[in-house]
Amino acid sequence: MSNPRDLFTARDPSAETILIPIEHSTQIDGTPIQPERQVIIDTNPFRYQMPKELMRRPGYGSVGEKVRLKLNSHILEGSVEKTVYQYAVMIGSGSEKRGLIKTLWHSKQVNEKLPGGVRDWLFDGNALAWSVRQVSEIRITVDLDAEHGRTARDDNPDIFRVVITPAAKINLSNIYEYLQGRSSFGPHVITAINFLDHLIRESPSNQHVNIKRSYFNRDTGDKYPLSGGIEAMRGVYQSIRLAEGKKMIVNIDVSHTTFWNVTGFDSIINQLTGHMDLETLQYSWRDQRGKTNFKFAAMRRLRANFFNVKHKNQKNQAVASKKEWKVASIIPQNAHEFKFLEYDKETKKEGPEISVFDYYKKTYDIHLNYGYLPVVATTKNISTPDPRNPKIRIKSPIVFPMELCLMRPSQRYPYKLNELQTANMIKFAVQQPHARLQGINKGLDMLAWDEDPFLKQYGLKIHREQIQTAARILPPPRLQFGGQGPGAVVAPGTSGRWDLKGKKFLLPNTAPLISWGVMIIQAHTYSGRTLQIPQAQAFITAFVDAYKNHGGTVKNATPIIQVQPHADLPKAIEMLLMAVGNKHNLRPQMFMFILPDKNADIYLRIKKSCDCRWGVYSQCVQGQQAVKVSPQYISNVLMKFNAKLGGTTNRVVTQGSGHFSTSTMIIGADVSHSAPNNPAPSYAAMTVSQDKFAARYAAGVQTNGRRVEMITTRNLNDMLTPLFREWIMHVNGGNLPDHVYYFRDGVSEAQFTNVLRTEVADMKEIFAKLGETRKGFSVKFTVVVAEKRHHIRFFPQGKGADKGGNPLPGTIVDRDVTHPFDNDFYLCAHRAIQGTARPVHYTVLLDEINVSVDTFQKLLYEQCYQYIRSTTPVSLHPAVYYAHLASNRAKAHENISETERRARDWAEPTGSSSGRDPEEPKPLIVMNNVDKIQGAENPPSISHVPSNRQTSFQKQTTARSEYSSEAMTETAAAAGAKETFKDLFAGAVGGVAQVLIDIIKVRLQTTTRYTGAVDAATKIFKDEGPLAFYKSSPKEWGRSERPPQKKIKKNLMPPLDPPVSVQFGGFHYARRQFEARNTLHNRPASLSYGQLYASGAFAGLANSVLSGPIEHVRIRLQTQPHGAGRLYSGPLDCVRKLGAHEGIMRGLFRGQAVTLLREAQAYGCWFLTFEYLMNRHARVNSTPRSSISAPLIALYGGIAGEALWLASYPFDVVKSKMQSDGFGPGGMRYASMRACFAQVWREEGAVGFWRGLGPTLVRALPVSAGTFIVVEMTRRAIS
């Protein structure tokens, strides 16, 4: 086996964690593992069984009609015999900005020293250079002051060092050798390709705005305003690739990106914040306390941009200066507030302080119209006296008023677009094929390959003609709908669409639709319009009729319809839930929301409440569509509606294709990331098929760090284990699948092997654990990566094109632009509705079952017709499509408020200012999952994309609401009673252990006849029998003081201790109430520390009802005289006599007030300490609570016991004194709790309140440890 570092990579590149197979756990590269590094010994046996290389193409497909089409790629030809030398370039200290690096590279000194001059060299603008000339190390000193004819500053001259060092020798023939199959793919090929990539980029980068591999020209490129102070621009994209057919190609496509408008900063921020005028904005970017809001955060997006400053010329005209400035920050002070010391040019001294507003009025005669806007700080600093110590000079930034700053051209806007901007961008970017071809040809003119001096220098040529290839159109499948007759089977042909008119769903809803309601959301914008109830009723009538016609079962055709009854949307949803539940005596099955407009915030709030708070399916419809009552729109909505209620739209009718000849599971996965400058987490989503023909899917989604592409082992286990179990039990009769197709979206070629070594290996391990009874059986995998983000486009000719010039559905290309050796192809499965169709690039990484090429390609294409919410085939395999939908839904399940979300959306670029690593993302809120496909301990948030089985509500473990009707509360009451019984029983068993330990402790403290705890337990059992361990327990209250030996056989079952049982029952009851309350208010269900303390205090108060009189009797019996002088013959006699003195309440419940205080404080601290330690252990070690070992539970329980008794004092001392006090005027010393406190203080001082603490703490550790370990283990056992 090779070096372990070659086999395993950390999930997070920044982590100090390495994964090592167990047989390599002692050393790496022969070097012992350093103890200061965090090392996780990886015991997954499948990790190192994964192949190190991707599978080769087994052949080409042959099924389908052959057609010719053009591809937006061009052949690169030329001499490959040249030798190129690569050099490492070090400029200055290595931390210089790119602008300065470019200036230094093109300086006169560098141009003179480099052989052939700068024009003869390629430079990547950072650290690498290439040339056909072989030179030794070159050292150059560049004096920019001298070059620009300026006087150097004594303290900081502009002198830099440029060092060019030989790094590698590149033979371009290595590429040719690889393409011919005579050389493997390695660093020697990668460096050659990297050189060619920079070669074709060098010339256009010097002439146009270069953003990665795209080029834009403001003078010739098409532009389109997007709103919000930004505009879109069209440019050209080019990339070099190695391709099938032993050739190199250059992929050319149109490219689009966003730039800031070339206008004033004041105009930009006015649009950026959505304000109508600057007059309002300048007073609203902070509150009266000076705290800034999201509007100021939006202004900070101007950071790092270049600008000019507007001044007045001699004709008193506003003009922009030629000098360029760069924004360092936006200062939260306006032009009136920001002051500086004015510099007097005549005296060359600083004068008095002056504000920015007054300075521009005095110096330039400019009256600032918006002086209350924040000022702009630049990257240039000036030296000024420190206001706190004028003798010390500090650097202060040069600042400008916002309204005088003018954005420089071609400044890219790097932030995520909002909804309106995205819609405008789509309008601009969408082009029909003929228009896209025109844009590509325009891009070719920009690139001007024939005139490129660098291509000529290296003898290379790129053909302007596009590559033509032989493609195939796969035969379209037939579709099976519900019902009988010829209309139940549909043949769409190459049209790529079908309709639902006259068709029934393959599977309707699994339960009749009875309990459902409709809410009309009120409009809050000028564009929205609130639907009226009569209009909603007409829509619902048509909706129900259409559903019945499609085969749906509806028993309630007139649901409750409400106009949003409360301004707070979650509260309004709760009110609808109550109304629907109380009317039908049944938990709601579905809510429909009629929206006034396309507001993403409203949509997310609806989904968060329905998914996470109430566990009710929801369907949103647009109000403007509801008014039209369009049959087509209703049918489109009904596909989703029916799927959420357990139905299926259609499935493919296969004809002996053989790809499902064995039990087959399909898994899809997608990891979505926010924009690079947004601190939002990444979301990992996974889907698993839920029927034999893979038409329905269930999904799991969870946060996956920030910008971490590989799905973590923990997430894979949490999401897939319950989904695998569901498939095994309900789809395959309790058996593992024989074959798994794993479709992975969104990974680059460099991460392909990581998918196998991490995600696939983890899935194999999950299957191995689930199928431990089948030793030696291994599930076979076919692993496929689906890539959408590429620039290959098809331009068919003749019969292969539809009316718009796009390829017909089923068009597949596996030659000419595919990989030279890997098993990949491009499939256009859909029909483009608008614009140019984008095929999906599929790469097969692993195929353990050896599926034939035609079978696999046919499977892919046919599955695209089974997307459950569409009447067209989709472009991407549905398993991945559903995963993408689930990751989008995860935004609604985030454990943050709307205010936090908005603040994050306007946040600073990641790591830009604070320098601190962002916090680890919180897990998603656990769904109130109706279908209950989730793990036992810490289930993931399961987002059921329209695909899951509708099951009964009795599977709910936690009731989220209580209805007035008996039928609605029955399930919740049963679940609550069951949990309460578990808590009481576990606490009672813990009480048994507590009493056992208590008698041993007492004997050890009061006599010396025992050598230790074991000796005491042995002798007590031998001499007095097993019931001696429970002499002081409540079980003995029904006995006299006679020895119990004669009754041993009848009482071998240990008595249970009611107080301990009540303690744990009360705590967990209060905990569940807090959890329900937290969920009700859209907060995390887990309790805060304050809530844990309150739950413990509640348990103590409940316990005091029993513990007060029980301990009172116990104290009386323990402190009475022995022998003939004793006062009570037994516990019941003591109860009778105490009641006879002052009645039950004043006699038996003496000292109850101080007991309440003691119990609340003590048990609040007891449970809080234990829960804190257990939760901390689970969090730090990333393990579920159920895996914490018994010794650790005992340790944490013991520590909690110490906390309990420390919190009990001095209440316990006062309680004992009051409950052992006499009766009557002559015998009673303490008339009240307050009197007892006062008397103890007078007679004994502070020490009197802490008597007996030492023995108590000694006793507390083992007693509490034993109690908690028995309770915890009992709960695990009976659960």
Side-chain angles (χ1 to χ4, degrees):
M1 183 173 289
S2 61
N3 189 331
R5 280 206 185 95
D6 297 334
L7 295 178
F8 306 103
T9 54
R11 300 289 169 82
D12 184 349
S14 64
E16 286 296 318
T17 302
I18 54 176
L19 300 176
I20 310 167
I22 194 164
E23 63 266 33
H24 290 278
S25 60
T26 56
Q27 58 184 17
I28 302 176
D29 295 337
T31 305
I33 297 172
Q34 298 298 319
E36 64 269 14
R37 295 193 65 189
Q38 179 187 2
V39 177
I40 299 176
I41 307 302
D42 190 359
T43 59
N44 184 344
F46 300 99
R47 191 90 64 203
Y48 53 89
Q49 294 176 10
M50 291 293 103
K52 302 175 186 177
E53 296 182 354
L54 306 182
M55 71 172 293
R56 292 295 181 102
R57 181 182 289 110
Y60 298 94
S62 59
V63 173
E65 181 183 3
K66 293 181 173 57
V67 294
R68 299 291 296 180
L69 54 80
K70 289 184 177 181
L71 303 168
N72 57 336
S73 297
H74 305 257
I75 294 176
L76 171 65
E77 290 183 337
S79 172
V80 293
E81 301 301 325
K82 280 187 180 267
T83 299
V84 180
Y85 299 93
Q86 180 174 303
Y87 298 88
V89 180
M90 180 69 175
I91 295 180
S93 63
S95 60
E96 280 69 21
K97 300 294 177 68
R98 283 187 175 269
L100 177 58
I101 290 175
K102 184 177 180 180
T103 301
L104 292 168
W105 179 258
H106 290 280
S107 65
K108 182 179 179 182
Q109 292 98 314
V110 172
N111 190 51
E112 291 174 350
K113 291 290 181 69
L114 282 181
V118 171
R119 296 177 63 87
D120 204 33
W121 289 61
L122 292 179
F123 181 51
D124 71 348
N126 187 26
L128 290 178
W130 297 267
S131 175
V132 293
R133 301 176 186 271
Q134 184 177 13
V135 298
S136 58
E137 182 177 282
I138 302 175
R139 293 177 175 268
I140 308 170
T141 300
V142 180
D143 188 341
L144 290 181
D145 290 324
E147 183 161 321
H148 293 109
R150 62 191 179 210
T151 304
R153 292 175 294 179
D154 296 334
D155 59 337
N156 190 19
D158 274 352
I159 298 176
F160 301 89
R161 183 180 63 175
V162 178
V163 180
I164 303 171
T165 308
K169 180 180 179 181
I170 301 174
N171 293 316
L172 297 182
S173 60
N174 289 333
I175 298 177
Y176 179 75
E177 293 294 314
Y178 170 69
L179 290 173
Q180 295 296 322
R182 295 195 290 264
S183 171
S184 62
F185 189 81
H188 60 295
V189 180
I190 295 174
T191 54
I193 296 173
N194 187 42
F195 163 72
L196 290 178
D197 184 57
H198 280 87
L199 175 66
I200 66 173
R201 292 164 60 182
E202 184 71 15
S203 183
S205 296
N206 295 331
Q207 301 175 43
H208 310 292
V209 177
N210 176 215
I211 299 175
K212 296 182 180 179
R213 289 183 170 85
S214 296
Y215 307 92
F216 302 88
N217 190 306
R218 186 167 188 83
D219 297 327
T220 61
D222 298 332
K223 296 178 286 294
Y224 187 81
L226 299 184
S227 80
I230 63 174
E231 62 183 4
M233 189 183 300
R234 185 176 291 124
V236 62
Y237 165 92
Q238 74 167 355
S239 174
I240 190 169
R241 299 169 59 90
L242 304 185
E244 187 273 342
K246 304 177 182 180
K247 57 181 175 288
M248 291 183 289
I249 64 173
V250 178
N251 179 207
I252 302 296
D253 195 17
V254 295
S255 181
H256 303 86
T257 194
T258 51
F259 294 91
W260 291 99
N261 287 341
V262 182
T263 185
F265 278 10
D266 52 353
S267 175
I268 289 175
I269 64 169
N270 195 40
Q271 298 178 63
L272 194 62
T273 56
H275 260 267
M276 301 298 293
D277 61 272
L278 283 168
E279 190 67 31
T280 305
L281 178 60
Q282 70 171 333
Y283 299 110
S284 62
W285 55 272
R286 61 183 177 185
D287 58 24
Q288 295 179 347
R289 297 171 297 175
K291 185 178 180 180
T292 59
N293 54 33
F294 78 95
K295 297 174 186 176
F296 179 76
M299 298 177 192
R300 296 176 70 177
R301 291 190 170 183
L302 295 172
R303 291 176 67 257
N305 286 298
F306 292 92
F307 66 96
N308 302 115
V309 179
K310 294 182 289 187
H311 286 294
K312 288 184 178 180
N313 60 14
Q314 294 178 350
K315 298 180 181 180
N316 204 32
Q317 297 171 328
V319 294
S321 65
K322 294 183 179 180
K323 188 171 182 178
E324 190 176 85
W325 302 86
K326 186 177 181 181
V327 181
S329 65
I330 306 298
I331 298 177
Q333 291 178 283
N334 60 44
H336 294 276
E337 296 168 336
F338 191 92
K339 297 180 180 180
F340 58 95
L341 297 177
E342 185 179 10
Y343 182 76
D344 191 329
K345 294 182 179 180
E346 295 182 359
T347 62
K348 296 183 178 181
K349 294 181 179 179
E350 284 88 3
E353 270 194 338
I354 188 171
S355 69
V356 172
F357 183 92
D358 294 336
Y359 174 80
Y360 274 87
K361 180 65 178 175
K362 174 182 176 183
T363 308
Y364 301 105
D365 192 27
I366 294 178
H367 177 82
L368 299 178
N369 296 316
Y370 307 109
Y372 290 94
L373 290 173
V375 296
V376 178
T378 68
T379 54
K380 299 291 184 181
N381 296 315
I382 57 174
S383 178
T384 61
D386 187 340
R388 294 167 296 184
N389 187 352
K391 295 182 179 180
I392 301 176
R393 301 189 70 83
I394 59 174
K395 289 185 177 180
S396 298
I398 296 175
V399 301
F400 292 100
M402 187 82 71
E403 63 186 274
L404 298 184
C405 300
L406 179 66
M407 182 70 72
R408 292 278 300 163
S410 303
Q411 300 288 300
R412 189 188 177 202
Y413 180 80
Y415 299 91
K416 182 180 178 181
L417 303 182
N418 62 30
E419 294 173 47
L420 177 60
Q421 292 167 342
T422 300
N424 289 334
M425 185 68 165
I426 291 173
K427 290 178 185 177
F428 176 61
V430 167
Q431 293 179 294
Q432 291 298 107
H434 69 277
R436 196 177 192 97
L437 271 175
Q438 291 176 358
I440 290 174
N441 290 328
K442 188 175 181 179
L444 292 176
D445 294 336
M446 286 178 60
L447 297 172
W449 289 329
D450 293 339
E451 303 171 8
D452 192 319
F454 294 98
L455 289 176
K456 292 179 179 178
Q457 179 183 348
Y458 287 89
L460 299 175
K461 179 181 179 181
I462 305 175
H463 291 264
R464 190 178 176 97
E465 298 79 20
Q466 291 183 328
I467 293 174
Q468 293 195 29
T469 189
R472 293 174 290 119
I473 302 176
L474 299 177
R478 294 184 304 146
L479 306 178
Q480 177 71 57
F481 285 85
Q484 303 295 325
V489 178
V490 176
T494 57
S495 66
R497 63 178 62 251
W498 58 94
D499 62 54
L500 295 176
K501 187 176 181 180
K503 297 179 180 63
K504 296 186 181 297
F505 294 134
L506 178 68
L507 296 174
N509 48 325
T510 55
L513 183 59
I514 302 172
S515 181
W516 64 303
V518 179
M519 181 183 294
I520 303 170
I521 303 299
Q522 292 185 354
H524 297 286
T525 63
Y526 293 106
S527 60
R529 187 168 67 90
T530 303
L531 204 71
Q532 301 302 310
I533 286 184
Q535 295 173 311
Q537 289 172 335
F539 175 76
I540 294 301
T541 299
F543 188 86
V544 170
D545 291 343
Y547 194 24
K548 291 178 179 178
N549 292 335
H550 288 312
T553 304
V554 182
K555 287 191 175 181
N556 172 25
T558 56
I560 290 177
I561 300 177
Q562 295 181 347
V563 177
Q564 185 176 342
H566 197 281
D568 181 36
L569 186 55
K571 180 64 178 176
I573 295 174
E574 180 183 355
M575 294 170 70
L576 178 64
L577 182 94
M578 294 295 181
V580 173
N582 289 332
K583 178 180 178 180
H584 299 288
N585 292 337
L586 184 68
R587 188 177 183 83
Q589 298 165 272
M590 175 71 76
F591 287 154
M592 179 180 286
F593 297 91
I594 302 179
L595 308 180
D597 51 28
K598 295 181 180 180
N599 187 307
D601 290 337
I602 290 177
Y603 178 84
L604 291 176
R605 294 182 73 188
I606 288 172
K607 295 302 180 182
K608 188 170 190 175
S609 286
C610 292
D611 292 350
C612 303
R613 186 179 180 189
W614 304 115
V616 178
Y617 290 120
S618 57
Q619 179 63 58
C620 295
V621 297
Q622 287 296 317
Q624 58 184 0
Q625 296 291 343
V627 172
K628 298 176 183 177
V629 197
S630 164
Q632 182 178 348
Y633 177 78
I634 290 175
S635 291
N636 289 340
V637 173
L638 276 170
M639 286 188 288
K640 296 189 285 185
F641 193 87
N642 181 61
K644 293 172 184 178
L645 294 175
T648 303
T649 304
N650 61 268
R651 71 176 180 90
V652 168
V653 179
T654 57
Q655 295 180 340
S657 64
H659 50 258
F660 274 29
S661 57
T662 60
S663 60
T664 302
M665 174 191 290
I666 295 183
I667 304 171
D670 179 38
V671 178
S672 61
H673 309 286
S674 60
N677 48 23
N678 191 318
S682 299
Y683 303 107
M686 304 199 75
T687 61
V688 176
S689 59
Q690 293 296 304
D691 55 31
K692 288 186 178 296
F693 43 87
R696 298 176 58 76
Y697 286 81
V701 62
Q702 189 53 272
T703 55
N704 199 63
R706 285 190 171 86
R707 307 201 69 76
V708 178
E709 182 59 45
M710 293 297 104
I711 304 175
T712 65
T713 299
R714 180 173 183 178
N715 277 345
L716 281 164
N717 277 279
D718 286 348
M719 289 189 286
L720 290 184
T721 300
L723 295 176
F724 284 176
R725 285 182 178 142
E726 182 78 4
W727 189 93
I728 291 168
M729 297 304 298
H730 294 97
V731 179
N732 207 37
N735 298 312
L736 295 177
D738 296 317
H739 186 202
V740 168
Y741 285 102
Y742 178 43
F743 291 94
R744 180 64 157 90
D745 182 31
V747 294
S748 63
E749 292 184 21
Q751 297 170 313
F752 283 176
T753 53
N754 284 349
V755 171
L756 298 177
R757 296 169 185 171
T758 58
E759 297 175 0
V760 176
D762 286 337
M763 284 188 279
K764 281 180 170 284
E765 186 177 39
I766 295 171
F767 278 123
K769 291 177 180 178
L770 293 175
E772 289 181 352
T773 56
R774 298 183 66 182
K775 298 297 183 183
F777 175 78
S778 178
V779 178
K780 296 185 182 298
F781 271 75
T782 297
V783 182
V784 187
V785 169
E787 183 186 5
K788 305 184 300 293
R789 298 177 182 276
H790 62 81
H791 286 268
I792 295 293
R793 297 294 184 273
F794 299 167
F795 298 96
Q797 309 294 314
K799 62 179 181 180
D802 64 12
K803 294 180 180 179
N806 273 303
L808 294 173
T811 302
I812 190 167
V813 171
D814 53 9
R815 299 175 185 266
D816 292 316
V817 291
T818 52
H819 193 276
F821 306 108
D822 291 350
N823 187 11
D824 69 327
F825 57 89
Y826 292 87
L827 173 63
C828 184
H830 68 299
R831 186 166 192 164
I833 299 175
Q834 57 180 350
T836 304
R838 175 169 56 185
V840 176
H841 184 204
Y842 292 100
T843 303
V844 183
L845 309 185
L846 175 70
D847 183 18
E848 295 179 328
I849 202 172
N850 297 321
V851 182
S852 70
V853 174
D854 285 328
T855 297
F856 177 66
Q857 292 177 353
K858 183 180 178 183
L859 160 71
L860 260 179
Y861 181 45
E862 289 181 348
Q863 288 277 303
C864 293
Y865 280 77
Q866 290 190 162
Y867 185 63
I868 212 164
R869 17 190 298 166
S870 174
T871 55
T872 63
V874 289
S875 61
L876 187 63
H877 190 281
V880 181
Y881 211 131
Y882 289 135
H884 182 66
L885 291 177
S887 65
N888 283 341
R889 177 66 65 83
K891 297 173 185 176
H893 297 178
E894 274 195 280
N895 193 6
I896 61 173
S897 66
E898 294 302 316
T899 303
E900 290 174 311
R901 188 193 305 279
R902 175 177 286 187
R904 188 185 64 192
D905 289 343
W906 290 106
E908 287 282 312
T910 304
S912 61
S913 57
S914 65
R916 297 177 296 180
D917 293 332
E919 295 180 0
E920 187 67 18
K922 299 177 183 177
L924 299 176
I925 300 173
V926 177
M927 276 189 66
N928 190 341
N929 193 342
V930 174
D931 292 335
K932 207 56 186 173
I933 306 179
Q934 53 179 291
E937 277 298 323
N938 296 304
S941 176
I942 305 294
S943 289
H944 294 282
V945 283
S947 49
N948 289 33
R949 181 184 303 102
Q950 175 80 6
T951 57
S952 66
F953 298 116
Q954 279 72 11
K955 289 191 176 182
Q956 291 275 138
T957 57
T958 305
R960 301 290 176 164
S961 61
E962 295 182 4
Y963 303 97
S964 60
S965 63
E966 183 178 347
M968 290 299 295
T969 58
E970 182 178 353
T971 300
K978 184 177 179 181
E979 291 300 312
T980 301
F981 171 76
K982 290 180 182 179
D983 300 327
L984 291 172
F985 181 76
V989 176
V992 173
Q994 192 175 96
V995 175
L996 266 169
I997 298 172
D998 188 64
I999 188 67
I1000 297 173
K1001 181 268 304 179
V1002 172
R1003 292 294 179 89
L1004 287 173
Q1005 289 181 340
T1006 57
T1007 182
T1008 59
R1009 59 177 295 204
Y1010 308 113
T1011 59
V1014 176
D1015 182 52
T1018 302
K1019 290 181 178 178
I1020 291 171
F1021 182 85
K1022 181 179 179 181
D1023 298 339
E1024 305 176 45
L1027 293 185
F1029 289 101
Y1030 302 99
K1031 285 185 176 180
S1032 61
S1033 71
K1035 181 77 174 180
E1036 290 294 307
W1037 281 30
R1039 302 174 182 270
S1040 66
E1041 297 296 311
R1042 296 192 305 272
Q1045 282 85 348
K1046 295 181 181 180
K1047 297 184 180 180
I1048 287 179
K1049 292 183 180 180
K1050 297 181 181 179
N1051 295 283
L1052 291 179
M1053 182 67 185
L1056 305 183
D1057 192 0
V1060 181
S1061 181
V1062 170
Q1063 292 160 15
F1064 283 89
F1067 171 75
H1068 289 290
Y1069 172 81
R1071 174 184 59 79
R1072 285 192 293 273
Q1073 298 305 309
F1074 275 121
E1075 286 176 349
R1077 182 181 178 83
N1078 289 345
T1079 306
L1080 185 67
H1081 294 283
N1082 283 335
R1083 294 194 296 262
S1086 56
L1087 273 62
S1088 65
Y1089 293 133
Q1091 290 173 331
L1092 285 172
Y1093 175 85
S1095 298
F1098 174 82
L1101 294 174
N1103 182 60
S1104 65
V1105 178
L1106 292 175
S1107 65
I1110 289 174
E1111 292 191 13
H1112 187 187
V1113 171
R1114 184 176 294 167
I1115 289 173
R1116 293 289 178 184
L1117 293 174
Q1118 289 174 347
T1119 57
Q1120 69 172 331
H1122 293 282
R1126 66 183 183 179
L1127 303 175
Y1128 315 107
S1129 61
L1132 293 181
D1133 181 50
C1134 182
V1135 171
R1136 285 194 296 267
K1137 291 180 178 179
L1138 290 175
H1141 280 295
E1142 296 181 344
I1144 294 296
M1145 294 306 298
R1146 292 179 58 85
L1148 185 60
F1149 281 87
R1150 173 182 284 192
Q1152 190 66 15
V1154 72
T1155 301
L1156 290 171
L1157 293 175
R1158 185 196 72 162
E1159 300 290 85
Q1161 168 72 351
Y1163 288 102
C1165 293
W1166 195 42
F1167 284 106
L1168 170 62
T1169 303
F1170 180 74
E1171 292 296 322
Y1172 167 78
L1173 293 172
M1174 292 286 284
N1175 293 341
R1176 183 181 182 278
H1177 179 94
R1179 183 178 67 254
V1180 170
N1181 296 281
S1182 299
T1183 58
R1185 180 175 174 136
S1186 61
S1187 66
I1188 300 178
S1189 63
L1192 284 173
I1193 295 173
L1195 173 63
Y1196 299 152
I1199 296 173
E1202 302 296 285
L1204 178 147
W1205 283 105
L1206 285 171
S1208 297
Y1209 279 73
F1211 298 118
D1212 189 63
V1213 172
V1214 173
K1215 170 187 162 300
S1216 297
K1217 289 182 177 294
M1218 293 186 66
Q1219 291 183 338
S1220 62
D1221 195 14
F1223 291 94
M1228 182 183 294
R1229 299 182 60 199
Y1230 313 112
S1232 64
M1233 176 181 66
R1234 182 177 180 183
C1236 184
F1237 269 104
Q1239 191 162 334
V1240 172
W1241 176 261
R1242 287 194 303 269
E1243 295 177 357
E1244 305 178 51
V1247 177
F1249 291 112
W1250 300 94
R1251 294 194 182 278
L1253 179 62
T1256 301
L1257 293 179
V1258 172
R1259 168 187 178 272
L1261 187 67
V1263 170
S1264 182
T1267 301
F1268 271 112
I1269 192 171
V1270 171
V1271 170
E1272 192 75 13
M1273 293 305 177
T1274 302
R1275 281 185 60 82
R1276 293 182 187 180
I1278 64 178
S1279 292

